[in-house]
Short mmCIF file of all heavy atoms in Angstrom, two decimals:
data_model
loop_
_atom_site.label_atom_id
_atom_site.label_comp_id
_atom_site.label_asym_id
_atom_site.label_seq_id
_atom_site.Cartn_x
_atom_site.Cartn_y
_atom_site.Cartn_z
N GLY N 1 -59.52 -26.84 1.76
CA GLY N 1 -60.30 -28.10 1.60
C GLY N 1 -60.81 -28.58 2.85
O GLY N 1 -61.54 -29.63 2.86
N HIS N 2 -60.48 -28.01 3.96
CA HIS N 2 -60.81 -28.62 5.25
C HIS N 2 -61.48 -27.55 6.13
O HIS N 2 -62.50 -27.93 6.78
CB HIS N 2 -59.54 -29.07 6.02
CG HIS N 2 -58.77 -30.16 5.25
ND1 HIS N 2 -59.22 -31.43 5.10
CD2 HIS N 2 -57.63 -30.07 4.67
CE1 HIS N 2 -58.31 -32.08 4.44
NE2 HIS N 2 -57.33 -31.30 4.18
N GLU N 3 -61.09 -26.29 6.27
CA GLU N 3 -61.72 -25.29 7.04
C GLU N 3 -62.56 -24.44 6.05
O GLU N 3 -61.91 -23.90 5.10
CB GLU N 3 -60.63 -24.49 7.77
CG GLU N 3 -59.80 -25.21 8.68
CD GLU N 3 -60.65 -25.77 9.93
OE1 GLU N 3 -61.65 -25.08 10.25
OE2 GLU N 3 -60.35 -26.80 10.55
N PHE N 4 -63.81 -24.35 6.34
CA PHE N 4 -64.76 -23.49 5.39
C PHE N 4 -65.20 -22.21 6.30
O PHE N 4 -65.70 -22.40 7.43
CB PHE N 4 -65.89 -24.27 4.93
CG PHE N 4 -65.55 -25.24 3.84
CD1 PHE N 4 -64.83 -26.37 4.06
CD2 PHE N 4 -65.94 -24.95 2.56
CE1 PHE N 4 -64.50 -27.28 3.02
CE2 PHE N 4 -65.61 -25.78 1.48
CZ PHE N 4 -64.81 -26.93 1.71
N ALA N 5 -65.12 -21.12 5.51
CA ALA N 5 -65.71 -19.88 6.13
C ALA N 5 -67.08 -19.46 5.45
O ALA N 5 -67.22 -19.42 4.22
CB ALA N 5 -64.72 -18.75 5.90
N ARG N 6 -68.07 -19.36 6.31
CA ARG N 6 -69.37 -19.02 5.73
C ARG N 6 -69.39 -17.50 5.42
O ARG N 6 -68.68 -16.72 6.01
CB ARG N 6 -70.43 -19.33 6.75
CG ARG N 6 -70.78 -20.74 7.02
CD ARG N 6 -71.64 -20.94 8.26
NE ARG N 6 -72.33 -22.23 8.30
CZ ARG N 6 -71.83 -23.34 8.99
NH1 ARG N 6 -70.66 -23.21 9.50
NH2 ARG N 6 -72.58 -24.39 9.01
N HIS N 7 -70.30 -17.19 4.49
CA HIS N 7 -70.42 -15.81 4.00
C HIS N 7 -71.61 -15.18 4.42
O HIS N 7 -72.26 -14.43 3.72
CB HIS N 7 -70.26 -15.78 2.47
CG HIS N 7 -68.87 -15.92 2.01
ND1 HIS N 7 -68.18 -14.85 1.38
CD2 HIS N 7 -67.98 -16.90 2.14
CE1 HIS N 7 -67.00 -15.22 1.01
NE2 HIS N 7 -66.79 -16.50 1.50
N GLY N 8 -72.06 -15.51 5.76
CA GLY N 8 -73.23 -14.76 6.36
C GLY N 8 -74.54 -15.19 5.81
O GLY N 8 -74.86 -16.32 5.82
N ASP N 9 -75.25 -14.20 5.36
CA ASP N 9 -76.72 -14.42 4.88
C ASP N 9 -76.70 -15.21 3.61
O ASP N 9 -75.72 -15.42 2.83
CB ASP N 9 -77.34 -13.04 4.56
CG ASP N 9 -77.52 -12.20 5.80
OD1 ASP N 9 -77.58 -12.87 6.89
OD2 ASP N 9 -77.58 -11.01 5.72
N PRO N 10 -77.84 -15.78 3.38
CA PRO N 10 -78.08 -16.58 2.11
C PRO N 10 -77.68 -15.73 0.81
O PRO N 10 -77.91 -14.49 0.81
CB PRO N 10 -79.57 -16.92 2.04
CG PRO N 10 -80.01 -16.80 3.47
CD PRO N 10 -79.17 -15.78 4.03
N VAL N 11 -77.19 -16.39 -0.15
CA VAL N 11 -76.85 -15.65 -1.39
C VAL N 11 -77.97 -15.89 -2.43
O VAL N 11 -78.07 -15.11 -3.40
CB VAL N 11 -75.48 -16.12 -1.98
CG1 VAL N 11 -74.42 -15.77 -1.04
CG2 VAL N 11 -75.54 -17.65 -2.38
N LEU N 12 -78.81 -16.87 -2.24
CA LEU N 12 -80.01 -16.90 -3.10
C LEU N 12 -81.15 -17.42 -2.13
O LEU N 12 -81.05 -18.40 -1.41
CB LEU N 12 -79.78 -18.07 -4.17
CG LEU N 12 -80.86 -17.94 -5.30
CD1 LEU N 12 -80.49 -16.87 -6.25
CD2 LEU N 12 -80.83 -19.26 -6.08
N LYS N 13 -82.24 -16.64 -2.24
CA LYS N 13 -83.44 -16.81 -1.47
C LYS N 13 -84.60 -17.10 -2.20
O LYS N 13 -84.62 -17.03 -3.48
CB LYS N 13 -83.70 -15.58 -0.62
CG LYS N 13 -82.69 -15.05 0.35
CD LYS N 13 -83.07 -13.84 1.01
CE LYS N 13 -81.97 -13.37 2.02
NZ LYS N 13 -82.41 -12.01 2.68
N PRO N 14 -85.68 -17.77 -1.59
CA PRO N 14 -86.88 -18.03 -2.36
C PRO N 14 -87.41 -16.82 -2.99
O PRO N 14 -87.12 -15.62 -2.56
CB PRO N 14 -87.83 -18.55 -1.35
CG PRO N 14 -86.86 -19.20 -0.29
CD PRO N 14 -85.73 -18.26 -0.26
N GLY N 15 -88.33 -16.97 -3.92
CA GLY N 15 -88.90 -15.87 -4.69
C GLY N 15 -90.10 -15.17 -4.02
O GLY N 15 -90.42 -15.54 -2.89
N PRO N 16 -90.67 -14.28 -4.61
CA PRO N 16 -91.82 -13.57 -4.05
C PRO N 16 -93.10 -14.36 -3.97
O PRO N 16 -93.18 -15.46 -4.49
CB PRO N 16 -91.90 -12.28 -4.98
CG PRO N 16 -91.51 -12.82 -6.29
CD PRO N 16 -90.31 -13.74 -5.98
N PHE N 17 -94.12 -13.70 -3.48
CA PHE N 17 -95.47 -14.39 -3.15
C PHE N 17 -95.92 -15.05 -4.48
O PHE N 17 -96.01 -14.35 -5.54
CB PHE N 17 -96.43 -13.29 -2.66
CG PHE N 17 -97.79 -13.73 -2.35
CD1 PHE N 17 -98.06 -14.82 -1.41
CD2 PHE N 17 -98.84 -13.26 -3.05
CE1 PHE N 17 -99.31 -15.16 -1.20
CE2 PHE N 17 -100.09 -13.66 -2.78
CZ PHE N 17 -100.42 -14.64 -1.86
N LYS N 18 -96.39 -16.25 -4.37
CA LYS N 18 -96.95 -16.96 -5.49
C LYS N 18 -96.02 -17.15 -6.69
O LYS N 18 -96.41 -17.53 -7.80
CB LYS N 18 -98.29 -16.29 -5.96
CG LYS N 18 -99.40 -16.47 -5.06
CD LYS N 18 -100.71 -16.10 -5.58
CE LYS N 18 -101.86 -16.33 -4.61
NZ LYS N 18 -103.21 -15.95 -5.13
N SER N 19 -94.71 -17.05 -6.47
CA SER N 19 -93.71 -17.34 -7.51
C SER N 19 -93.45 -18.80 -7.56
O SER N 19 -93.85 -19.51 -6.57
CB SER N 19 -92.41 -16.61 -7.29
OG SER N 19 -91.82 -16.96 -6.17
N TRP N 20 -92.89 -19.42 -8.60
CA TRP N 20 -92.59 -20.76 -8.74
C TRP N 20 -91.59 -21.25 -7.72
O TRP N 20 -91.56 -22.43 -7.43
CB TRP N 20 -92.03 -21.11 -10.21
CG TRP N 20 -90.71 -20.60 -10.38
CD1 TRP N 20 -90.28 -19.36 -10.65
CD2 TRP N 20 -89.50 -21.49 -10.21
NE1 TRP N 20 -88.84 -19.40 -10.66
CE2 TRP N 20 -88.33 -20.63 -10.46
CE3 TRP N 20 -89.22 -22.85 -9.85
CZ2 TRP N 20 -87.10 -21.11 -10.31
CZ3 TRP N 20 -87.98 -23.26 -9.90
CH2 TRP N 20 -86.89 -22.41 -10.06
N ASP N 21 -90.81 -20.41 -7.17
CA ASP N 21 -89.83 -20.83 -6.12
C ASP N 21 -90.10 -20.10 -4.82
O ASP N 21 -89.14 -19.77 -4.05
CB ASP N 21 -88.40 -20.58 -6.63
CG ASP N 21 -88.10 -19.15 -6.96
OD1 ASP N 21 -89.09 -18.28 -6.99
OD2 ASP N 21 -86.88 -18.85 -7.30
N GLU N 22 -91.32 -19.84 -4.50
CA GLU N 22 -91.75 -19.02 -3.34
C GLU N 22 -91.28 -19.63 -1.95
O GLU N 22 -90.91 -18.97 -1.04
CB GLU N 22 -93.27 -18.85 -3.24
CG GLU N 22 -93.72 -18.10 -2.05
CD GLU N 22 -95.26 -18.12 -1.92
OE1 GLU N 22 -95.91 -18.60 -2.84
OE2 GLU N 22 -95.70 -17.57 -0.94
N ARG N 23 -91.37 -20.97 -1.91
CA ARG N 23 -91.14 -21.73 -0.64
C ARG N 23 -89.71 -22.22 -0.41
O ARG N 23 -89.20 -22.25 0.75
CB ARG N 23 -92.13 -22.84 -0.48
CG ARG N 23 -93.66 -22.34 -0.41
CD ARG N 23 -93.82 -21.58 0.86
NE ARG N 23 -95.13 -20.99 0.90
CZ ARG N 23 -96.26 -21.51 1.40
NH1 ARG N 23 -96.16 -22.72 1.84
NH2 ARG N 23 -97.34 -20.85 1.37
N VAL N 24 -89.08 -22.66 -1.44
CA VAL N 24 -87.82 -23.35 -1.34
C VAL N 24 -86.94 -23.03 -2.63
O VAL N 24 -87.41 -23.04 -3.64
CB VAL N 24 -87.96 -24.87 -1.22
CG1 VAL N 24 -86.56 -25.53 -1.36
CG2 VAL N 24 -88.68 -25.30 0.10
N VAL N 25 -85.64 -22.71 -2.35
CA VAL N 25 -84.66 -22.81 -3.46
C VAL N 25 -83.52 -23.76 -2.82
O VAL N 25 -83.20 -23.76 -1.66
CB VAL N 25 -83.98 -21.55 -3.80
CG1 VAL N 25 -85.01 -20.64 -4.57
CG2 VAL N 25 -83.47 -20.76 -2.61
N ALA N 26 -83.10 -24.81 -3.69
CA ALA N 26 -82.32 -25.78 -3.22
C ALA N 26 -81.40 -26.42 -4.35
O ALA N 26 -81.63 -25.99 -5.47
CB ALA N 26 -83.04 -26.85 -2.52
N ASP N 27 -80.70 -27.52 -3.99
CA ASP N 27 -79.93 -28.27 -5.00
C ASP N 27 -79.22 -27.55 -6.00
O ASP N 27 -79.34 -27.59 -7.23
CB ASP N 27 -80.94 -29.24 -5.59
CG ASP N 27 -81.59 -30.21 -4.67
OD1 ASP N 27 -80.99 -30.39 -3.54
OD2 ASP N 27 -82.62 -30.80 -5.03
N PRO N 28 -78.35 -26.53 -5.57
CA PRO N 28 -77.64 -25.71 -6.61
C PRO N 28 -76.61 -26.55 -7.44
O PRO N 28 -76.02 -27.53 -6.89
CB PRO N 28 -76.99 -24.60 -5.72
CG PRO N 28 -76.72 -25.27 -4.45
CD PRO N 28 -77.94 -26.32 -4.21
N TYR N 29 -76.36 -26.18 -8.66
CA TYR N 29 -75.32 -26.72 -9.50
C TYR N 29 -74.74 -25.53 -10.29
O TYR N 29 -75.44 -24.84 -10.98
CB TYR N 29 -75.85 -27.78 -10.42
CG TYR N 29 -74.74 -28.56 -11.12
CD1 TYR N 29 -74.26 -29.77 -10.49
CD2 TYR N 29 -74.07 -28.17 -12.31
CE1 TYR N 29 -73.28 -30.45 -11.08
CE2 TYR N 29 -73.15 -28.90 -12.80
CZ TYR N 29 -72.66 -30.09 -12.19
OH TYR N 29 -71.63 -30.79 -12.80
N VAL N 30 -73.47 -25.25 -9.94
CA VAL N 30 -72.87 -23.94 -10.46
C VAL N 30 -71.80 -24.27 -11.48
O VAL N 30 -70.90 -25.05 -11.19
CB VAL N 30 -72.35 -23.21 -9.29
CG1 VAL N 30 -71.66 -21.87 -9.81
CG2 VAL N 30 -73.37 -22.85 -8.28
N ILE N 31 -71.79 -23.51 -12.65
CA ILE N 31 -70.77 -23.72 -13.59
C ILE N 31 -70.18 -22.23 -13.88
O ILE N 31 -71.01 -21.32 -13.67
CB ILE N 31 -71.25 -24.33 -14.93
CG1 ILE N 31 -72.36 -23.52 -15.59
CG2 ILE N 31 -71.76 -25.73 -14.64
CD1 ILE N 31 -72.77 -24.12 -16.90
N ARG N 32 -69.02 -22.16 -14.41
CA ARG N 32 -68.46 -20.88 -14.82
C ARG N 32 -68.38 -20.91 -16.38
O ARG N 32 -67.70 -21.85 -16.93
CB ARG N 32 -67.08 -20.78 -14.13
CG ARG N 32 -66.27 -19.41 -14.45
CD ARG N 32 -66.96 -18.31 -13.74
NE ARG N 32 -66.31 -17.01 -14.07
CZ ARG N 32 -65.42 -16.54 -13.27
NH1 ARG N 32 -64.88 -17.20 -12.33
NH2 ARG N 32 -64.81 -15.32 -13.69
N VAL N 33 -68.95 -19.93 -17.02
CA VAL N 33 -68.70 -19.74 -18.45
C VAL N 33 -68.39 -18.27 -18.71
O VAL N 33 -69.19 -17.35 -18.33
CB VAL N 33 -70.04 -20.07 -19.25
CG1 VAL N 33 -69.82 -19.90 -20.75
CG2 VAL N 33 -70.53 -21.53 -18.83
#
């Protein structure tokens, strides 16, 4: 809970040309089901 290790490259990137999320992906909220 104090030292964090990054996992390199982004795990979720913006979408392709003219997609609804082409420029930004942000504000994640993750649940486990």
